[in-house]
Amino acid sequence: MGTGPTGRARRARTVPPGRTGGAPDPASEAAEPSDWVGHDRGSREYRRILVALLGAGIATFAQLYSPQGILPALATDLHVDASRSSLTISAATIGLALAVLPWSIVADRIGRVRAMRIALVAAAVLGLLMPWSPSFPVLMVVRVLEGIALGGVPAIAVTYLGEEVRARHAALAAGTYVSGTTIGGLLGRLVAGPVADVAGWRVGTFSVAVLATVAAVLFFLVAPEPRGFRARPVSVRRVVGAVGRHLRTPSLLVLYAQGFLLMGGFVAMYNYLAFRLEAPPFAMPAALASLLFLAYLAGTVSSRAAGGLADRVGRRRIMLASTAVMVVGALVTLSTSLVVVVVGLVVMTAGFFGAHSIASGWSGARAEADRAQSTSLYNFWYYAGSSVFGFLGGLAFVGIGWSGVVGMVVVLCVVAGVWGAVRR
């Protein structure tokens, strides 16, 4: 869920003593050429970075959201209601939200790739252990720890892109990365649901953890050595000061709020859709209901398209248009026709990921300094929204039904859109 694209040419950097030319020092991620401006789109290293981040995105988001499609089965097995079962998602996302700033500090000191490798190994171990938790409280603890480990990827990935890719390609590269995260989220749900239908939710989520481990290995094998990173000491006082400055900057604050509100609505929709579809009048089996997560493919397309359109017509216009599309899609899901519900879900998903791909990159580009902390803040509020509204949506669903969830989502989108329209 790192810093976004800078949107401007990088300043010249000093070549470390004893170094000539632009070859990276294999012993240190700090080495870089004095005039480094990033890999060009289409180059071998550019493609390797995107493939590596695809692996990291799959490893992260497959595990983060794998329980989402099997919440009804989990709730039945562990004897909890819909709102409590959703804490399986919220526990991981709140752990991730709390971890993004610390991970950004670690990455500033030891390097982006090295930090992401540590995060992916820790997450893989916890992911393989999580399905065998003996009780709901133990499951919650493991999910929080898993979220903390997973936070190392979204906290760093876009920063890594911003340092390694030429500035004029950064928005497109960030959009491509976000589209890759949608594939991870989709695979986690698609694997967990059908397997859980046959062998139970524990085997279903374990299968996803195995898949995530394979994807993490891909990152290890493909990620090129960084050339745009320069190690620097980062004090807690400096980070706190940067956070305070960003939170007092209106143009950044609105982006953080949009991430908080839109992600909260998006996760609430997906958390409780399975409960609606597995109950009358739809009465869908879990394996079939999990196929609705194929709607994520709309986000895979829209996130990359939004990055390209933003370069031509402006980020703000695409952000507001995407938010409006999300509202329309949410309202369409009120239908009692399954086909219409699916159409609404696809539209809502496309709108959300279009907005997110813009906001996540813009949160770094708009910061005049300390960009890593700015996009870490965006990620904090983004996943905090997932945790808060993912749970509150359950209260709305239990108390009112699906219309309560949709009503909450629409309100969140409208507030995000209006705030974005009046704040420049």
Side-chain angles (χ1 to χ4, degrees):
M1 218 189 15
T3 189
T6 61
R8 64 188 71 175
R10 304 183 198 288
R11 292 191 296 262
R13 296 178 174 117
T14 303
V15 178
R19 295 291 315 284
T20 59
D25 182 353
S28 171
E29 292 189 8
E32 60 190 62
S34 60
D35 59 348
W36 176 248
V37 294
H39 296 293
D40 274 317
R41 180 185 177 189
S43 68
R44 179 174 179 270
E45 298 303 296
Y46 178 94
R47 291 193 296 268
R48 284 182 64 190
I49 289 170
L50 293 187
V51 171
L53 289 181
L54 171 64
I58 290 173
T60 301
F61 293 94
Q63 291 190 85
L64 188 65
Y65 292 112
S66 64
Q68 196 171 49
I70 46 91
L71 286 179
L74 186 150
T76 300
D77 184 51
L78 297 179
H79 309 292
V80 294
D81 64 15
S83 60
R84 287 192 67 198
S85 71
S86 73
L87 292 175
T88 309
I89 307 298
S90 295
T93 53
I94 198 63
L96 192 155
L98 293 173
V100 287
L101 274 171
W103 272 117
S104 72
I105 297 172
V106 171
D108 279 345
R109 296 183 68 90
I110 71 172
R112 316 303 181 196
V113 171
R114 192 175 303 165
M116 282 192 282
R117 284 173 176 166
I118 294 170
L120 288 169
V121 169
V125 171
L126 289 164
L128 292 169
L129 293 175
M130 182 274 291
W132 315 114
S133 301
S135 66
F136 189 72
V138 172
L139 177 63
M140 292 299 95
V141 172
V142 176
R143 286 291 285 172
V144 170
L145 294 175
E146 191 177 8
I148 290 171
L150 291 171
V153 174
I156 302 166
V158 185
T159 305
Y160 175 53
L161 277 176
E163 292 173 345
E164 302 301 320
V165 173
R166 188 176 286 270
R168 66 171 175 266
H169 306 313
L172 178 61
T176 303
Y177 161 66
V178 172
S179 72
T181 68
T182 67
I183 295 173
L186 172 62
L187 285 176
R189 294 163 171 97
L190 286 182
V191 170
V195 174
D197 221 20
V198 174
W201 72 269
R202 295 181 189 274
V203 177
T205 51
F206 182 77
S207 301
V208 174
V210 172
L211 169 69
T213 301
V214 173
V217 170
L218 175 66
F219 178 84
F220 272 74
L221 295 176
V222 176
E225 288 300 316
R227 295 183 60 185
F229 172 75
R230 180 171 55 190
R232 53 191 179 276
V234 181
S235 68
V236 174
R237 176 180 293 182
R238 180 178 178 275
V239 171
V240 170
V243 168
R245 286 191 298 274
H246 292 328
L247 291 177
R248 292 191 300 270
T249 304
S251 61
L252 292 176
L253 195 58
V254 68
L255 291 173
Y256 305 152
Q258 285 173 319
F260 178 75
L261 297 168
L262 297 180
M263 178 58 165
F266 177 76
V267 168
M269 291 281 288
Y270 272 96
N271 274 0
Y272 304 105
L273 184 62
F275 286 97
R276 183 193 183 201
L277 295 180
E278 290 180 28
F282 301 105
M284 294 177 65
L288 186 58
S290 68
L291 293 179
L292 290 177
F293 288 111
L294 286 169
Y296 258 61
L297 293 175
T300 305
V301 175
S302 69
S303 55
R304 197 171 191 278
L309 287 171
D311 290 338
R312 297 198 296 271
V313 302
R315 286 180 167 117
R316 185 166 172 270
R317 288 181 179 178
I318 300 303
M319 181 77 191
L320 294 175
S322 296
T323 304
V325 169
M326 190 176 172
V327 170
V328 171
L331 290 172
V332 170
T333 66
L334 289 170
S335 173
T336 56
S337 165
L338 180 60
V339 173
V340 176
V341 169
V342 171
V343 170
L345 188 65
V346 169
V347 171
M348 188 275 300
T349 303
F352 168 74
F353 278 106
H356 169 51
S357 69
I358 297 301
S360 61
W362 209 1
S363 63
R366 274 198 163 184
E368 295 181 359
D370 300 303
R371 292 190 173 97
Q373 281 68 49
S374 179
T375 47
S376 290
L377 273 174
Y378 173 83
N379 278 300
F380 170 81
W381 289 110
Y382 178 82
Y383 289 106
S386 170
S387 302
V388 172
F389 294 110
F391 174 71
L392 293 179
L395 300 181
F397 181 76
V398 172
I400 303 174
W402 184 247
S403 60
V405 177
V406 172
M408 184 189 79
V409 172
V410 169
V411 169
L412 294 176
C413 291
V414 169
V415 172
V418 170
W419 200 351
V422 300
R423 279 288 186 184
R424 295 180 179 271

